[in-house]
Amino acid sequence: MNPQSTSQFSSHLNFTERKKERQREMGASLLPSPPFVGAFLFVLSTFFLFPELAIAKDVGITRHYKFNIKLQNVTRLCHTKSIVTVNGQFPGPRIVAREGDRVVIKVVNHVQNNISIHWHGIRQLQTGWADGPAYVTQCPIQTGQTYMYNFTIVGQRGTLFWHAHISWLRSTVYGPMVILPKRHTPYPFAKPYKEVPIIFGDWWNVDTEAVISQALQTGGGPNVSDSYTINGLPGPLYNCSEKDTFKLKVKPGKTYLLRLINAALNDELFFSIANHTLTVVEADAIYVKPFETETILITPGQTTNVLLKTKPYFPNANFLMAARPYVTGQGTFDNSSTAGILQYELPSNSPSSIRMLKLFKPALPPLNDTSFASNFSKRLRSLGNAQFPANVPQTVDKRFFFTVSLGTSPCPQNRTCQGPTNSTKFAASLNNVSFAMPTTALLQAHFLGQSNGLYTTDFPNNPPSRFNYTGTPPNNTMVGNGTKVEVLPFNTSVELVMQDTSILGAESHPVHLHGFNFFVVGQGFGNYDPNKDPANFNLVDPAERNTIGVPSGGWVAIRFLADNPGGGMVHALPPGSPHQLGFEDGVGCPRWKAPQSEAASSTV
């Protein structure tokens, strides 16, 4: 994607391309699918042996992409470094498809790093092996090797994205996914004049693999980024970056659909465009009841579509669009702002030049504005109509209560660490269990009957001990670790309450669920009360998402139906490192074992 250009996605879907793609599809045999099994919360059902039954009604065309994983020299902030990219692009190429299409991506690894790609938000119905988390659904793609991701987009349309799912390679290996509605199916809002992807990221002047390696060795927090980026560009608020600025060129009196994606590694971001109002129409590829706002909050892993209606006349000014972090917790963070410029097309008779125009700047919320974060999240509601129903589970078969905490683990013997003390490391956990990433592919081992001792099925449904979760923390901050999973029968209705804790300081925790969307039925501050809080749950039109921020000093309740045999995985995005639980499915690579340091860092 050229970060300084905008284009209409319809150009990807013209008649000639559709004809060629149908010809390719008719002339190609089905690619062999690797074996797969039910899984990491294993969702069990004999139905999963017949995936063609599940997707037949959504047959579209087949779209082919090739991802060459290669090194590329890139300069930002006057620093040039070699980064891992897809096809030499930073950010990577845009994937465009329609609901019902089959997508086949051939990934060829030309670098020394192992790699895997996650298609963030794709449900992967019956195709869990294509989900991408290294050492869970697959072993990573080794140097010189190829892997074919092959999945069908069922019942989804909107904005998602893809990224590397091993170590911290996703700091440079990421790109947008645009899923258009089926042909002749309109948006539930007025057709925009143009559609523009805006993908937030971050930039380190140093090698990010060295950053995470050092953090894992010392047990301290990783060093922060040197800038945030918009479409790979830091923007004019950073030194040496005026030329590296994303510019959105618009015409007066038009409506633009901005497809916003937060691909940043760690940070939730506020975003605003000076002197303009945004209308939110979609979140995580699910239409929402439209509402207007001057600022949005977007968590790592989330996507938000907004309509931007330009002024009816040339405003004789330029407008800054800016993003900066929403900060909770006590760790260090990148206290800077990335920016792009909204430029109106000059009238043909205008005596002015773009550079001479006044530049307006947006007013963003304070860095720690938890009130805004909470209120913005609560404004998101599903459309909940006949065409786009909100199928919220009204009854619950299985309830979980997870504490999401940052605690400690002991420093290795004869070592000095950089955790809260020099004898401890930071360690994140769910219910006091820090996930131990395996060194072999979990699910191939399960499929081959070789999983004995690789994981256990005793992940706790509740924290091991109760305490005042958001009050005075307990004296003992040590967490356990293990590769523990939960097994669910097919079609189990699940309610999961995730509670932040103040063990090493309250903070917001972005959490992503693989293989499923979920409904955000409730949220609040303080300790969750199972006797009182469910009475206020929204079971009519709650937001449907794949990624949610557990509120700082609070809790969030989600519900979903475990209707995807083999399903997905629950995990927190950093900071918070390894704590994962899940419902995953996939295959690995026979006799391949990961280096321990690589496996330990594969947490996002």
Side-chain angles (χ1 to χ4, degrees), residues 491-514:
N491 262 349
T492 299
S493 58
V494 178
E495 181 180 287
L496 167 59
V497 177
M498 291 175 282
Q499 172 75 60
D500 181 36
T501 73
S502 58
I503 290 178
L504 289 181
E507 63 180 354
S508 177
H509 299 271
V511 175
H512 173 52
L513 176 56
H514 290 237

Side-chain angles (χ1 to χ4, degrees), residues 340-362:
I341 296 177
L342 181 71
Q343 285 185 351
Y344 279 74
E345 185 177 278
L346 279 169
S348 56
N349 60 350
S350 173
S352 304
S353 71
I354 290 293
R355 296 184 65 86
M356 295 171 54
L357 298 177
K358 184 175 181 179
L359 180 64
F360 288 94
K361 299 180 180 180

Side-chain angles (χ1 to χ4, degrees), residues 115-425:
I115 194 75
S116 70
I117 304 294
H118 172 49
W119 317 96
H120 192 105
I122 294 292
R123 290 226 35 209
Q124 299 292 0
L125 292 168
Q126 321 301 315
T127 53
W129 62 82
D131 196 40
Y135 306 112
V136 182
T137 66
Q138 66 173 96
C139 277
I141 308 164
Q142 301 170 60
T143 305
Q145 299 299 307
T146 297
Y147 192 88
M148 197 78 74
Y149 292 95
N150 181 359
F151 54 87
T152 298
I153 300 169
V154 181
Q156 292 183 278
R157 82 293 302 164
T159 303
L160 295 171
F161 75 117
W162 56 264
H163 60 80
H165 206 298
I166 182 170
S167 193
W168 269 21
L169 291 181
R170 75 181 182 95
S171 63
T172 59
V173 180
Y174 63 85
M177 290 188 71
V178 174
I179 306 170
L180 297 170
K182 293 180 179 179
R183 295 195 59 77
H184 311 301
T185 301
Y187 294 129
F189 46 82
K191 182 179 179 181
Y193 174 70
K194 279 189 177 181
E195 304 180 15
V196 184
I198 294 180
I199 188 162
F200 305 108
D202 26 34
W203 171 265
W204 276 260
N205 288 331
V206 298
D207 178 15
T208 52
E209 292 303 279
V211 172
I212 185 60
S213 178
Q214 180 187 36
L216 289 168
Q217 289 175 14
T218 66
N223 292 333
V224 301
S225 59
D226 292 287
S227 77
Y228 300 104
T229 60
I230 295 177
N231 288 350
L233 302 171
L237 303 183
Y238 296 101
N239 291 332
C240 196
S241 292
E242 186 174 358
K243 63 180 179 59
D244 291 327
T245 299
F246 171 70
K247 296 177 181 177
L248 176 57
K249 298 179 180 180
V250 299
K251 295 182 177 181
K254 302 292 185 182
T255 298
Y256 293 77
L257 179 66
L258 307 185
R259 297 177 176 268
L260 307 177
I261 302 165
N262 189 351
L265 236 61
N266 300 334
D267 293 315
E268 300 174 78
L269 297 171
F270 296 118
F271 173 74
S272 182
I273 302 177
N275 293 18
H276 287 74
T277 298
L278 304 173
T279 302
V280 178
V281 293
E282 178 195 302
D284 288 358
I286 296 291
Y287 297 131
V288 300
K289 290 181 171 67
F291 66 89
E292 292 186 350
T293 182
E294 293 182 355
T295 302
I296 72 151
L297 176 68
I298 187 166
T299 286
Q302 289 183 341
T303 64
T304 305
N305 281 7
V306 299
L307 296 176
L308 168 68
K309 188 171 183 180
T310 59
K311 299 182 182 301
Y313 51 85
F314 177 68
N316 206 34
N318 289 325
F319 303 91
L320 211 64
M321 57 175 75
R324 75 176 181 193
Y326 162 54
V327 179
T328 60
Q330 301 177 17
T332 57
F333 63 96
D334 181 353
N335 186 12
S336 67
S337 301
T338 183
I341 296 177
L342 181 71
Q343 285 185 351
Y344 279 74
E345 185 177 278
L346 279 169
S348 56
N349 60 350
S350 173
S352 304
S353 71
I354 290 293
R355 296 184 65 86
M356 295 171 54
L357 298 177
K358 184 175 181 179
L359 180 64
F360 288 94
K361 299 180 180 180
L364 289 165
L367 292 169
N368 61 349
D369 197 339
T370 294
S371 175
F372 177 92
S374 175
N375 290 333
F376 180 83
S377 180
K378 290 177 181 178
R379 296 183 72 185
L380 293 165
R381 299 292 183 97
S382 295
L383 278 182
N385 57 24
Q387 186 178 4
F388 302 105
N391 295 316
V392 191
Q394 299 296 306
T395 59
V396 175
D397 300 320
K398 186 75 172 181
R399 284 185 166 86
F400 296 92
F401 181 76
F402 289 175
T403 51
V404 186
S405 306
L406 186 61
T408 58
S409 62
C411 191
Q413 193 171 5
N414 300 322
R415 288 257 306 272
T416 299
C417 290
Q418 297 177 8
T421 70
N422 61 14
S423 62
T424 59
K425 292 184 171 186

Side-chain angles (χ1 to χ4, degrees), residues 12 41 78 86 183 236 324 338 354 421 520 523 545 589:
H12 291 268
L41 245 187
C78 284
V86 170
R183 295 195 59 77
R324 75 176 181 193
T338 183
I354 290 293
T421 70
V520 185
Q523 58 186 309
R545 311 214 65 155
C589 313

